[in-house]
């Protein structure tokens, strides 16, 4: 056999026949040999049955955009699967580096200003971002003598402050709704923005949750304790501490 025949590529029909018996990983490797092999190994008739078996939903969506090759669909499916299995990065913050600053207003009057360093929060055994905090009344920054008649007269702000006042992230600034009922909590919530520099203000699927424990005083309610946390919209359960810390996009 001559040297020229050894260097020439096998006939197209042979390549196509062999390719039908290759797995996806081998097809991708073979497509890197040369241009002709790349064209042959990227053919839709090879990748369509693979995609139909592994990613049938993506194949159905392709009907709206026939210009997308089946090999690209396979790559998209593989990448999304790897991302799903990838462990999330550790947040760049920790509880030790942040401070909670919570203000409760009744109209224009500040009822309480509560400052709670993260390293003083009591973490439960499930490591959920949900904490109970005693309200600071009569601390010189609030007027505990002002009682609450209705939740819609209340306004709360919850800020997360990076130590040394280096940065502040507002978790919520909102008013209450409804009437005050003794023995029940006043509930406030606000959806958090999506993290990342390209989020464009989109929703994150996480909700800042704040509840006021109210006690009776002269037939009216007064703030006694505060509960804060971050909930997932999908499960409506508190998320873990790391997931919540990742949502503090401005710190």
């Amino acid at each position: 056999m001559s040297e020229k025949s050894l260097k020439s590529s096998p006939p197209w029909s042979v390549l196509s026949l062999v390719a039908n018996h290759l797995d996806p990983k081998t097809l991708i490797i073979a497509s890197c040999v040369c241009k002709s092999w790349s064209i042959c190994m990227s053919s839709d008739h090879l990748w369509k049955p693979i995609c139909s078996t592994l990613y049938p939903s993506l194949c159905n969506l392709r009907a709206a955009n026939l210009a997308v090759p089946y090999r690209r669909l396979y790559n998209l499916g593989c990448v999304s699967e790897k991302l799903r299995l990838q462990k999330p990065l550790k947040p760049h913050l920790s509880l030790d580096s942040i401070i909670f600053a919570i203000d409760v207003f009744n109209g224009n009057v500040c009822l309480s200003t509560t400052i709670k360093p993260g390293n003083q929060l009591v973490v439960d055994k499930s490591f959920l971002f949900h904490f109970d905090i005693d309200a600071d009344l009569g601390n010189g920054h609030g007027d505990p003598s002002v009682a609450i008649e209705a939740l819609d007269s209340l306004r709360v702000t919850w800020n997360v402050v990076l130590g040394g006042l280096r940065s502040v992230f507002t978790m919520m600034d909102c008013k209450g709704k409804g009437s005050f009922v003794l023995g029940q909590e006043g509930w406030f919530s606000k959806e958090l923005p999506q993290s990342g520099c390209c989020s464009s203000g989109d929703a994150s699927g996480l909700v800042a949750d704040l509840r006021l424990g109210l006690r009776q005083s002269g037939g009216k309610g007064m703030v006694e304790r505060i509960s804060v946390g971050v909930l997932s919209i999908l499960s409506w359960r508190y998320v873990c501490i790391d997931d919540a810390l990742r949502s503090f996009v401005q710190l």
Side-chain angles (χ1 to χ4, degrees), residues 117-186:
N119 56 13
Q120 295 180 14
L121 295 170
V122 178
V123 180
D124 70 4
K125 61 182 180 180
S126 299
F127 294 97
L128 298 178
F129 196 90
H130 179 228
F131 309 102
D132 293 321
I133 303 170
D134 291 332
D136 291 337
L137 299 176
N139 57 3
H141 301 283
D143 185 357
S145 65
V146 180
I148 305 162
E149 295 183 352
L151 288 180
D152 54 13
S153 68
L154 286 182
R155 173 174 150 257
V156 299
T157 63
W158 172 19
N159 291 309
V160 175
V161 183
L162 193 58
L165 289 175
R166 285 174 290 168
S167 184
V168 179
F169 176 49
T170 299
M171 299 288 285
M172 69 168 63
D173 183 350
C174 57
K175 288 188 173 182
K177 295 180 181 179
S179 58
F180 167 65
V181 179
L182 289 176
Q184 295 188 2
E185 294 179 322

Side-chain angles (χ1 to χ4, degrees), residues 12 30-43 71:
W12 188 275
S31 68
C32 298
V33 172
C34 62
K35 185 175 180 179
S36 61
W37 281 49
S38 176
I39 295 173
C40 179
M41 302 300 173
S42 301
S43 175
R71 176 176 171 173

Side-chain angles (χ1 to χ4, degrees), residues 56-69:
S57 58
L58 293 182
C59 288
N60 291 334
L61 289 173
R62 183 183 178 273
N65 191 353
L66 298 177
V68 178

Side-chain angles (χ1 to χ4, degrees), residues 169 190-196 198-208 231 233-234 247 249:
F169 176 49
K190 186 71 174 180
E191 188 164 4
L192 298 173
Q194 187 175 7
S195 61
C198 302
S199 60
S200 302
D202 295 334
S204 64
L206 299 176
V207 171
L231 294 162
I233 289 179
L234 295 178
S247 70
V249 297

Side-chain angles (χ1 to χ4, degrees), residues 88-104:
L89 297 176
K90 279 286 186 181
H92 68 283
L93 296 175
S94 67
L95 287 180
D96 292 341
S97 62
I98 61 176
I99 301 169
F100 289 172
I102 303 167
D103 296 315
V104 181

